[in-house]
Amino acid sequence: MGYNAIYPADAIEAHRAFIARRRSLRLSEEYRTPTNDEWDACLSHFEKCKLSLGTCARAFGTSCIHEHACVRCPLLRPEPSQRDRLIEIRNNLLDRIAEAQREGWIGAVEGLEISLAGAEDKPAQHNETLKPSPTHLGCLSSARSPDAPTTPDHRTWNLAEMVRRLLRWPRGKRGLRSCPRVITDRYVNGTRLRLRRADFADGRCELKFTQKVPVLLSGAIQGLITNTYLSPAEYDVLASLPATMLSKTRFSVPPLGVDVFDGRLQGLVLGEAEFTTDEEVQAFVPPAECVAEVTDDARFAGGCLVQASRQELLGWLAEYGIRPQP
């Protein structure tokens, strides 16, 4: 038994007529073979699209409307690796605006503020691209309450970590009495992996294995995070890996989790607020006791703090006007 594919003649003729009409509307020169000069010009355009901050997306044959003031241009697509450069440009623009206002250079202020708006908009462009629709892998996707006990088969996977990080005055643990837990983190050497033990005041113990893949951008999106909750036997196996340790006491002071650090990081008090949507991020108002927001300061992320010396920490805090005991 055979099958025949039948195409209506009018459909085929209509398609052919469409192709012929489309070709008649285009210049015949567009169908010729390009010359070497034309081909070189095309390749040169895309080579010139590679910039220090990222990639220029302007169309071939068009001029640069911003006269190479790339930070102002919406067609600039910055590279994630250039986050630090963008922050440096933004800070420089803020300094220049302050100088212009102080010296009375009103004409310069307007132009600098336009450039500043562009510099601050670039990280936001990447924040949008870093929030894809979740891809469900069909495993390890159960919801978990923070107060639920740890069991060998009770694990949670997350996608995007959205955090705002704040410095508080180092006033010890006074006033921080809500749900304390002692956290010991082991950052596995040479990896992006962290092994965490959290001991609660009521005797509970939470064991967790985490991978964090950072994104080098400003804003609340810190990166992609995967959490796996462990049994004591699983924790003991992973705890044998060579690692650098960091310890702190965490207090729940809604909407923040407040970390009071120990050892060489004594005097550092960090508050973190976690979010699930951009609306929550924008609506968040830091409490009055917070000295400064350091969300964009990568030095205060755990992976950097675990490597920091006492003198380095004191220097960082001094930049924000905090001077704990040496």
Side-chain angles (χ1 to χ4, degrees):
M1 182 176 180
Y3 295 90
N4 290 326
I6 301 174
Y7 297 92
D10 55 348
I12 295 174
E13 292 302 323
H15 179 68
R16 288 175 176 171
F18 167 75
I19 296 297
R21 184 169 63 255
R22 183 176 178 182
R23 287 176 176 170
S24 68
L25 295 175
R26 301 184 67 175
L27 298 175
S28 59
E29 292 183 358
E30 294 185 10
Y31 291 96
R32 64 175 174 81
T33 302
T35 65
N36 289 336
D37 289 342
E38 291 170 335
W39 183 244
D40 289 342
C42 180
L43 294 179
S44 175
H45 166 79
F46 291 103
E47 289 175 355
K48 292 178 180 178
C49 285
K50 298 183 182 299
L51 308 172
S52 60
L53 288 175
T55 303
C56 175
R58 63 186 173 91
F60 173 69
T62 60
S63 60
C64 178
I65 61 174
H66 290 100
E67 299 180 354
H68 304 286
C70 300
V71 74
R72 299 184 179 188
C73 184
L75 294 180
L76 172 66
R77 303 293 292 178
E79 290 290 336
S81 60
Q82 298 305 311
R83 169 187 176 273
D84 291 341
R85 185 188 293 265
L86 277 171
I87 293 176
E88 181 180 351
I89 290 173
R90 181 197 63 187
N91 293 340
N92 177 262
L93 286 168
L94 289 170
D95 292 341
R96 291 171 63 190
I97 289 172
E99 178 189 19
Q101 292 172 337
R102 185 172 60 251
E103 299 295 336
W105 303 333
I106 305 303
V109 172
E110 182 178 358
L112 291 171
E113 287 179 340
I114 294 174
S115 296
L116 177 62
E120 292 179 335
D121 183 59
K122 298 307 172 190
Q125 294 179 14
H126 272 287
N127 287 350
E128 291 300 319
T129 63
L130 288 170
K131 294 186 296 182
S133 299
T135 300
H136 298 288
L137 302 179
C139 60
L140 301 178
S141 58
S142 59
R144 183 179 188 277
S145 167
D147 296 327
T150 301
T151 59
D153 57 351
H154 202 156
R155 303 173 172 113
T156 301
W157 280 28
N158 296 325
L159 286 177
E161 183 185 33
M162 301 181 69
V163 173
R164 287 180 65 177
R165 192 175 293 116
L166 307 155
L167 280 175
R168 291 167 55 106
W169 285 110
R171 295 170 179 164
K173 301 176 182 180
R174 290 177 298 167
L176 301 176
R177 303 299 181 191
S178 178
C179 302
R181 72 193 89 165
V182 177
I183 294 176
T184 303
D185 285 334
R186 302 175 61 88
Y187 287 82
V188 181
N189 296 343
T191 74
R192 298 174 296 191
L193 303 175
R194 183 191 70 196
L195 187 63
R196 169 169 289 182
R197 178 189 180 97
D199 292 294
F200 291 79
D202 60 6
R204 289 181 296 119
C205 178
E206 182 181 82
L207 307 173
K208 185 166 60 174
F209 195 45
T210 300
Q211 181 197 50
K212 289 190 176 184
V213 180
V215 292
L216 302 179
L217 295 171
S218 61
I221 297 181
Q222 298 293 296
L224 302 179
I225 181 172
T226 303
N227 287 326
T228 302
Y229 290 84
L230 305 174
S231 69
E234 292 168 334
Y235 177 88
D236 290 341
V237 171
L238 294 173
S240 65
L241 297 173
T244 307
M245 297 181 62
L246 182 152
S247 61
K248 57 191 178 183
T249 302
R250 174 167 294 176
F251 298 86
S252 178
V253 186
L256 300 175
V258 178
D259 292 338
V260 179
F261 287 79
D262 302 323
R264 67 183 185 280
L265 301 182
Q266 186 174 3
L268 174 61
V269 182
L270 277 178
E272 287 191 354
E274 297 184 355
F275 310 95
T276 57
T277 66
D278 281 338
E279 290 73 18
E280 291 178 357
V281 173
Q282 298 301 323
F284 174 73
V285 177
E289 60 268 23
C290 294
V291 178
E293 181 163 358
V294 291
T295 303
D296 291 338
D297 194 336
R299 298 174 297 180
F300 291 96
C304 290
L305 288 173
V306 74
Q307 302 292 339
S309 67
R310 178 67 178 170
Q311 291 305 313
E312 285 176 324
L313 173 68
L314 293 177
W316 299 345
L317 292 176
E319 294 178 20
Y320 293 95
I322 300 176
R323 293 178 173 81
Q325 293 297 322

